[in-house]
Structure formats: C-alpha cells, structure tokens
Amino acid sequence: MFDLAVVGRLGGHDLAALAVATLVLGIISTQLTFLSYGTTARSARAFGAGDRPQAVHEGVQASWIAVLVGAAIVAVAWVCAPWIMRALVPDHQVASDAAGWLRIAVLGVPLILLSMAGNGWMRGVQDTRRPVYYVLAGLVVSAVLCLGLVHGLAGAPHLGLEGSAIANVTGQSLTGALFAQRLIREAGGRLGVDGPVMRAQLTMARDLILRSASFQVCFVSAAAVAARFGVAEVAAHQLVLQLWDFISLLLDSLAIAAQQLVGAALGAAAYAAARSDARRATTASLGLSGLLAVVFAGGASLLPRIFTDDAAILHAVTTPWWFLVAMLPVAGVVFALDGVLLGAGDVAYLRTATLAGALGAFLPMIWLSLVFDWGLAGIWAGLLLFMLTRLAAVVWRVRSGSWVH
C-alpha cells in the first residue's frame, strides 16, 4: 500500500504497472502459503503435545523447501516476466514497465518464502512477538528506500518505478536474514534435510496449493478483464484489490491466532478448549471486520486520494469500493473459520470448498463481465459471490463438529 501511494504520484501508467506486477508477485508467493499455514498447523500440534524440538524441526524442513523452491521461481519468473505481462495487459508501455519491476522484485521471492516458513514455526510455538519485529524492520527499511529511490529524495538516485522493486528486495533481505538467524539458534545444529517430514509437509502443501491456485487464477483473470476496460479501470481494480489484500492480512491475524491455539489444543486433546477458541476468534474477527466496514464506508471519498489524484482512477474506484465494504463482515467470519479448520488440519475440505467457489462462482462472473460489458461491477460481484459460497461451506463444516479430532 505504501508503494502504491509513493508510485501513484508518478502517474496513472506507473500505478497501473505496479498494480499488475504486484498482483503477479503476490500470486507467485501466495502459492507457497503452506510454508506458513501448513507449518503453523504441524508445529502447533507438536508444541501442544509437549515436543518443542519437533515443532522447530518442522520449521527447518519448511525453510529448506522455501530456499529451493524460491530459487527455481526466480529463474523461471525472470525469464518469463515480459511474456506474462504482455498476456495480462494490452497497453505495451504498462506491460514493459511491469515486467521491469517484476524482474527485480522476484529476486526477493526466496526471502519472502523463508520469512513465511519462519512465521509458520514461530507461530506454532506461540512466539508471536518476535516475527512482528522482524517484519517491521524489513518494512521500515523498504519504506525509507522506496520514498528516496522512486522520487530521488535526500540525495538518492531518481529510479522511478524500479526504485520501488529495489526497496522491496532490500527490506525482504533483512527480514529473511533475521528469521534464518533465529531458526539456526533454535535448531541447535539440527539443520539437515529430513525426507519423511518434508514429504508430509508437501502432502499438506498439495491441498493448500490447489486451494490458493484456484482463487489466484480468478484474480489473474480479473486483472486481465479489468485491463480490457481501460488503464484507469485496471489501476482502480488493483488499488482496491490491494486494500482487500491488506484487510485480509489484518483479519488473518485473528485467523492465525485461532489456527495456532486450535492446533495446540487438539495436539493436547483439549477438545473443549479448541471449540472455545474457535468461537472467540470468530466473534473477534466479525467485530473487527464490522469496524473496518464502517471506516471504509465513511472514508469512501477521502481514502482513495491517499493513493492517487488521477481523476479517471478516482471515478473508477467507486464501484469496487462499495463491494469491498459489503464483503467485510462476510470476510470476518470466513477468515476466522478458515483459521480454525487449518489449525485442525482439515485442508482437504478447505481445498474442495475453495475450488467450488472460485471455479463455480467467481471465475464465470469475471468472464461474463467481459462478454456482457458489466465492467468492474461484474468482476466484484463475482468476488462477493465467491465469499458467500465460502461462508456457507465453512460455517456448515465447523457446526458439524467433524474437525475436532
């Protein structure tokens, strides 16, 4: 969001390029969310059973996966960046600028994944404060460099859009190094590859990757369709989508708390405590999402101006903005119950429910929007329908009690 605000002052084309490029980078990295979510579930179970060394060992194996997969992603994405952007964006200048940003930013993917693994095992052992410091350290460095390098402030070189990518990689390097240092200290020399544990993690990863891939296909399709409506429309769509991502991460703080507490409770066979944690997390998440809905509704005319002063983009933002407001209370419940089911290791059900909502509701609405020229309203109606489908699925599953085992 900070990058959007800084780069947005360069103009609509730069903002559109950053928006599309960050979407692709987000898709690349979120396919590996099992490194945080899956590792949290497995580490929390071990921690709840009183085996902290095994919980840390899960983090070691997840970190090996992060480094190896991250290196492969860098090699492929660096080569394919121009083709990816040309396929997504019809405007050649926007596509070229987006590819240039992505080729730099993708160098940080192994560090992003290493940080995911670090967050995963540290959440599992309920060490939640230290990761905040690690992430904040990287974000502060990135923010200062972004402001200087994009606009050439305080004697820094004026790099424009590419300065944002360099700032991101630098901050990610610091955060990744801090997580690696902590893991080495905790593991106490147990840093070797453990085939059986790694295979078990990858088995859980299969369902989580399919789950993530289903809605990422939808988000890429949404960006491609929004781009067909114009530069202002794709910039507005991605701006609000970036806010949606921010809100999702904010609500995930409660979902992750539910995940680690439920996982630890089930590891200790404390089933009543697991149910109580699920109720409290859902209530808190619904309250927070309701408060956010009030803030975003009240700030509908002011908040978008933080990111851009382009009149065309500000006009286009209005439609997805109100869909965002409407989705917030739904998201509060969905994300909390996702956390409960992830903590219980019920990933196969979550995979199926997400695939059904993404491919059966969201994706058809996106392409119907292009065919019938519904614009951003059709795309965001699809996202709302997707969230309602997920809401029905997770509420039914949690009420059934089959996740408590």
Side-chain angles (χ1 to χ4, degrees):
M1 287 174 58
F2 185 82
D3 280 4
L4 285 174
V6 172
V7 172
R9 302 306 169 196
L10 296 175
H13 273 74
D14 290 285
L15 181 60
L18 177 65
V20 177
T22 53
L23 170 70
V24 173
L25 182 65
I27 289 168
I28 291 171
S29 57
T30 53
Q31 297 316 305
L32 282 300
T33 52
F34 73 88
L35 290 169
S36 54
Y37 295 112
T39 304
T40 297
R42 291 178 58 83
S43 293
R45 284 284 184 126
F47 181 76
D51 192 350
R52 184 185 178 97
Q54 181 59 33
V56 176
H57 188 60
E58 295 284 350
V60 172
Q61 303 314 307
S63 297
W64 276 118
I65 295 172
V67 172
L68 295 172
V69 174
I73 289 173
V74 169
V76 173
W78 198 92
V79 172
C80 296
W83 293 310
I84 294 170
M85 293 307 169
R86 282 198 294 270
L88 287 176
V89 185
D91 187 295
H92 295 299
Q93 187 60 51
V94 172
S96 176
D97 290 346
W101 188 94
L102 183 61
R103 277 185 155 175
I104 298 171
V106 77
L107 299 175
V109 166
L111 302 157
I112 294 172
L113 301 185
L114 187 62
S115 299
M116 284 185 181
N119 268 292
W121 73 264
M122 292 179 78
R123 290 169 187 165
V125 300
Q126 301 191 11
D127 183 356
T128 56
R129 183 171 297 172
R130 227 183 309 256
V132 175
Y133 298 148
Y134 295 168
V135 172
L136 282 177
L139 288 176
V140 168
V141 169
S142 177
V144 171
L145 285 176
C146 181
L147 196 58
L149 294 175
V150 170
H151 294 290
L153 301 180
H158 190 295
L159 301 180
L161 181 61
E162 291 187 352
S164 161
I166 294 170
N168 273 273
V169 173
T170 305
Q172 290 153 3
S173 298
L174 175 59
T175 299
L178 290 170
F179 275 112
Q181 180 186 46
R182 185 64 193 174
L183 180 64
I184 292 168
R185 183 176 299 176
E186 281 269 359
R190 293 182 63 205
L191 298 173
V193 173
D194 186 330
V197 171
M198 192 176 287
R199 282 193 294 274
Q201 289 185 351
L202 290 173
T203 298
M204 179 177 281
R206 177 193 59 206
D207 292 327
L208 290 172
I209 288 173
L210 285 171
R211 176 175 177 265
S212 296
S214 66
F215 53 74
Q216 293 304 338
V217 166
C218 295
F219 287 135
V220 171
S221 297
V225 170
R228 269 59 183 177
F229 297 131
V231 171
E233 283 71 16
V234 72
H237 168 73
Q238 290 302 136
L239 191 158
V240 181
L241 192 62
Q242 194 71 30
L243 288 171
W244 170 252
D245 286 344
F246 165 73
I247 293 166
S248 299
L249 292 172
L250 183 61
L251 294 175
D252 258 357
S253 63
L254 291 164
I256 289 164
Q259 184 185 2
Q260 65 192 50
L261 292 171
V262 167
L266 294 178
Y271 303 125
R275 292 189 179 92
S276 175
D277 290 333
R279 285 192 298 271
R280 286 188 294 139
T282 305
T283 301
S285 186
L286 182 58
L288 177 57
S289 63
L291 178 62
L292 288 170
V294 171
V295 171
F296 278 84
S301 61
L302 297 176
L303 293 177
R305 296 180 182 276
I306 296 173
F307 304 99
T308 183
D309 54 8
D310 187 295
I313 296 174
L314 289 171
H315 176 73
V317 155
T318 303
T319 297
W321 192 274
W322 288 106
F323 276 100
L324 173 68
V325 171
M327 284 193 300
L328 283 171
V330 177
V333 177
V334 170
F335 293 159
L337 296 184
D338 268 2
V340 170
L341 296 177
L342 283 169
D346 199 6
V347 293
Y349 179 80
L350 286 174
R351 173 208 65 206
T352 303
T354 305
L355 282 169
L359 304 183
F362 192 10
L363 194 61
M365 284 293 292
I366 291 169
W367 292 106
L368 286 172
S369 298
L370 179 62
V371 172
F372 294 105
D373 197 25
W374 290 339
L376 295 184
I379 293 172
W380 282 78
L383 180 54
L384 176 59
L385 186 58
F386 172 53
M387 292 301 298
L388 290 171
T389 303
R390 290 175 63 190
L391 175 67
V394 294
V395 167
W396 177 83
R397 187 67 165 185
V398 170
R399 287 178 64 85
S400 74
S402 59
W403 56 278
V404 182
H405 55 81

PDB file of all heavy atoms in Angstrom, residues 381-396:
ATOM      1  N   ALA A 381     -18.812  -8.349  -8.200  1.00  0.00           N
ATOM      2  CA  ALA A 381     -19.963  -9.166  -7.820  1.00  0.00           C
ATOM      3  C   ALA A 381     -19.553 -10.637  -7.752  1.00  0.00           C
ATOM      4  O   ALA A 381     -20.012 -11.397  -6.889  1.00  0.00           O
ATOM      5  CB  ALA A 381     -21.102  -8.969  -8.817  1.00  0.00           C
ATOM      6  N   GLY A 382     -18.659 -11.031  -8.660  1.00  0.00           N
ATOM      7  CA  GLY A 382     -18.143 -12.396  -8.636  1.00  0.00           C
ATOM      8  C   GLY A 382     -17.350 -12.679  -7.374  1.00  0.00           C
ATOM      9  O   GLY A 382     -17.460 -13.760  -6.775  1.00  0.00           O
ATOM     10  N   LEU A 383     -16.532 -11.706  -6.940  1.00  0.00           N
ATOM     11  CA  LEU A 383     -15.755 -11.892  -5.710  1.00  0.00           C
ATOM     12  C   LEU A 383     -16.684 -11.985  -4.497  1.00  0.00           C
ATOM     13  O   LEU A 383     -16.461 -12.806  -3.594  1.00  0.00           O
ATOM     14  CB  LEU A 383     -14.776 -10.728  -5.541  1.00  0.00           C
ATOM     15  CG  LEU A 383     -13.882 -10.759  -4.291  1.00  0.00           C
ATOM     16  CD1 LEU A 383     -13.112 -12.076  -4.185  1.00  0.00           C
ATOM     17  CD2 LEU A 383     -12.922  -9.577  -4.291  1.00  0.00           C
ATOM     18  N   LEU A 384     -17.731 -11.174  -4.475  1.00  0.00           N
ATOM     19  CA  LEU A 384     -18.702 -11.241  -3.384  1.00  0.00           C
ATOM     20  C   LEU A 384     -19.400 -12.603  -3.359  1.00  0.00           C
ATOM     21  O   LEU A 384     -19.561 -13.215  -2.293  1.00  0.00           O
ATOM     22  CB  LEU A 384     -19.734 -10.126  -3.540  1.00  0.00           C
ATOM     23  CG  LEU A 384     -20.887 -10.113  -2.528  1.00  0.00           C
ATOM     24  CD1 LEU A 384     -20.372 -10.001  -1.109  1.00  0.00           C
ATOM     25  CD2 LEU A 384     -21.850  -8.971  -2.837  1.00  0.00           C
ATOM     26  N   LEU A 385     -19.787 -13.113  -4.519  1.00  0.00           N
ATOM     27  CA  LEU A 385     -20.426 -14.422  -4.601  1.00  0.00           C
ATOM     28  C   LEU A 385     -19.484 -15.526  -4.130  1.00  0.00           C
ATOM     29  O   LEU A 385     -19.893 -16.478  -3.445  1.00  0.00           O
ATOM     30  CB  LEU A 385     -20.881 -14.681  -6.038  1.00  0.00           C
ATOM     31  CG  LEU A 385     -21.695 -15.949  -6.301  1.00  0.00           C
ATOM     32  CD1 LEU A 385     -22.960 -15.970  -5.456  1.00  0.00           C
ATOM     33  CD2 LEU A 385     -22.045 -16.058  -7.783  1.00  0.00           C
ATOM     34  N   PHE A 386     -18.206 -15.398  -4.480  1.00  0.00           N
ATOM     35  CA  PHE A 386     -17.177 -16.335  -4.036  1.00  0.00           C
ATOM     36  C   PHE A 386     -17.096 -16.369  -2.511  1.00  0.00           C
ATOM     37  O   PHE A 386     -17.044 -17.438  -1.884  1.00  0.00           O
ATOM     38  CB  PHE A 386     -15.840 -15.915  -4.652  1.00  0.00           C
ATOM     39  CG  PHE A 386     -14.638 -16.653  -4.158  1.00  0.00           C
ATOM     40  CD1 PHE A 386     -14.574 -18.031  -4.171  1.00  0.00           C
ATOM     41  CD2 PHE A 386     -13.527 -15.953  -3.705  1.00  0.00           C
ATOM     42  CE1 PHE A 386     -13.448 -18.712  -3.728  1.00  0.00           C
ATOM     43  CE2 PHE A 386     -12.400 -16.617  -3.272  1.00  0.00           C
ATOM     44  CZ  PHE A 386     -12.352 -17.998  -3.270  1.00  0.00           C
ATOM     45  N   MET A 387     -17.100 -15.184  -1.882  1.00  0.00           N
ATOM     46  CA  MET A 387     -17.010 -15.119  -0.431  1.00  0.00           C
ATOM     47  C   MET A 387     -18.259 -15.698   0.240  1.00  0.00           C
ATOM     48  O   MET A 387     -18.168 -16.368   1.272  1.00  0.00           O
ATOM     49  CB  MET A 387     -16.801 -13.670   0.011  1.00  0.00           C
ATOM     50  CG  MET A 387     -15.452 -13.085  -0.375  1.00  0.00           C
ATOM     51  SD  MET A 387     -14.054 -14.017   0.316  1.00  0.00           S
ATOM     52  CE  MET A 387     -14.356 -13.813   2.073  1.00  0.00           C
ATOM     53  N   LEU A 388     -19.419 -15.460  -0.343  1.00  0.00           N
ATOM     54  CA  LEU A 388     -20.646 -16.017   0.228  1.00  0.00           C
ATOM     55  C   LEU A 388     -20.668 -17.539   0.131  1.00  0.00           C
ATOM     56  O   LEU A 388     -21.152 -18.229   1.050  1.00  0.00           O
ATOM     57  CB  LEU A 388     -21.863 -15.423  -0.487  1.00  0.00           C
ATOM     58  CG  LEU A 388     -22.142 -13.936  -0.207  1.00  0.00           C
ATOM     59  CD1 LEU A 388     -23.231 -13.416  -1.133  1.00  0.00           C
ATOM     60  CD2 LEU A 388     -22.531 -13.721   1.253  1.00  0.00           C
ATOM     61  N   THR A 389     -20.136 -18.073  -0.964  1.00  0.00           N
ATOM     62  CA  THR A 389     -20.048 -19.532  -1.117  1.00  0.00           C
ATOM     63  C   THR A 389     -19.125 -20.130  -0.055  1.00  0.00           C
ATOM     64  O   THR A 389     -19.448 -21.153   0.568  1.00  0.00           O
ATOM     65  CB  THR A 389     -19.522 -19.878  -2.521  1.00  0.00           C
ATOM     66  OG1 THR A 389     -20.369 -19.295  -3.510  1.00  0.00           O
ATOM     67  CG2 THR A 389     -19.466 -21.386  -2.727  1.00  0.00           C
ATOM     68  N   ARG A 390     -17.987 -19.479   0.152  1.00  0.00           N
ATOM     69  CA  ARG A 390     -17.057 -19.953   1.182  1.00  0.00           C
ATOM     70  C   ARG A 390     -17.673 -19.849   2.575  1.00  0.00           C
ATOM     71  O   ARG A 390     -17.449 -20.719   3.436  1.00  0.00           O
ATOM     72  CB  ARG A 390     -15.757 -19.154   1.123  1.00  0.00           C
ATOM     73  CG  ARG A 390     -14.913 -19.437  -0.105  1.00  0.00           C
ATOM     74  CD  ARG A 390     -13.700 -18.521  -0.163  1.00  0.00           C
ATOM     75  NE  ARG A 390     -12.812 -18.744   0.967  1.00  0.00           N
ATOM     76  CZ  ARG A 390     -11.782 -17.946   1.258  1.00  0.00           C
ATOM     77  NH1 ARG A 390     -11.546 -16.860   0.523  1.00  0.00           N
ATOM     78  NH2 ARG A 390     -10.989 -18.203   2.275  1.00  0.00           N
ATOM     79  N   LEU A 391     -18.424 -18.775   2.807  1.00  0.00           N
ATOM     80  CA  LEU A 391     -19.070 -18.595   4.112  1.00  0.00           C
ATOM     81  C   LEU A 391     -19.985 -19.778   4.426  1.00  0.00           C
ATOM     82  O   LEU A 391     -19.919 -20.351   5.522  1.00  0.00           O
ATOM     83  CB  LEU A 391     -19.874 -17.291   4.117  1.00  0.00           C
ATOM     84  CG  LEU A 391     -20.703 -17.015   5.372  1.00  0.00           C
ATOM     85  CD1 LEU A 391     -19.802 -16.770   6.572  1.00  0.00           C
ATOM     86  CD2 LEU A 391     -21.633 -15.822   5.154  1.00  0.00           C
ATOM     87  N   ALA A 392     -20.822 -20.142   3.472  1.00  0.00           N
ATOM     88  CA  ALA A 392     -21.734 -21.260   3.691  1.00  0.00           C
ATOM     89  C   ALA A 392     -20.967 -22.553   3.973  1.00  0.00           C
ATOM     90  O   ALA A 392     -21.338 -23.332   4.863  1.00  0.00           O
ATOM     91  CB  ALA A 392     -22.641 -21.432   2.468  1.00  0.00           C
ATOM     92  N   ALA A 393     -19.869 -22.764   3.241  1.00  0.00           N
ATOM     93  CA  ALA A 393     -19.110 -24.010   3.376  1.00  0.00           C
ATOM     94  C   ALA A 393     -18.431 -24.122   4.739  1.00  0.00           C
ATOM     95  O   ALA A 393     -18.503 -25.168   5.406  1.00  0.00           O
ATOM     96  CB  ALA A 393     -18.072 -24.101   2.252  1.00  0.00           C
ATOM     97  N   VAL A 394     -17.760 -23.059   5.197  1.00  0.00           N
ATOM     98  CA  VAL A 394     -17.003 -23.161   6.454  1.00  0.00           C
ATOM     99  C   VAL A 394     -17.924 -23.154   7.669  1.00  0.00           C
ATOM    100  O   VAL A 394     -17.647 -23.832   8.667  1.00  0.00           O
ATOM    101  CB  VAL A 394     -15.923 -22.061   6.566  1.00  0.00           C
ATOM    102  CG1 VAL A 394     -14.857 -22.252   5.502  1.00  0.00           C
ATOM    103  CG2 VAL A 394     -16.507 -20.658   6.496  1.00  0.00           C
ATOM    104  N   VAL A 395     -19.033 -22.407   7.592  1.00  0.00           N
ATOM    105  CA  VAL A 395     -19.982 -22.413   8.714  1.00  0.00           C
ATOM    106  C   VAL A 395     -20.566 -23.818   8.887  1.00  0.00           C
ATOM    107  O   VAL A 395     -20.654 -24.340  10.018  1.00  0.00           O
ATOM    108  CB  VAL A 395     -21.102 -21.372   8.500  1.00  0.00           C
ATOM    109  CG1 VAL A 395     -22.242 -21.602   9.490  1.00  0.00           C
ATOM    110  CG2 VAL A 395     -20.540 -19.958   8.653  1.00  0.00           C
ATOM    111  N   TRP A 396     -20.950 -24.448   7.787  1.00  0.00           N
ATOM    112  CA  TRP A 396     -21.511 -25.805   7.874  1.00  0.00           C
ATOM    113  C   TRP A 396     -20.485 -26.771   8.460  1.00  0.00           C
ATOM    114  O   TRP A 396     -20.813 -27.594   9.329  1.00  0.00           O
ATOM    115  CB  TRP A 396     -21.929 -26.289   6.486  1.00  0.00           C
ATOM    116  CG  TRP A 396     -22.446 -27.695   6.515  1.00  0.00           C
ATOM    117  CD1 TRP A 396     -23.696 -28.110   6.824  1.00  0.00           C
ATOM    118  CD2 TRP A 396     -21.671 -28.886   6.274  1.00  0.00           C
ATOM    119  NE1 TRP A 396     -23.772 -29.488   6.781  1.00  0.00           N
ATOM    120  CE2 TRP A 396     -22.539 -29.989   6.453  1.00  0.00           C
ATOM    121  CE3 TRP A 396     -20.335 -29.110   5.924  1.00  0.00           C
ATOM    122  CZ2 TRP A 396     -22.106 -31.301   6.286  1.00  0.00           C
ATOM    123  CZ3 TRP A 396     -19.905 -30.428   5.766  1.00  0.00           C
ATOM    124  CH2 TRP A 396     -20.793 -31.502   5.945  1.00  0.00           C
TER     125      TRP A 396
END
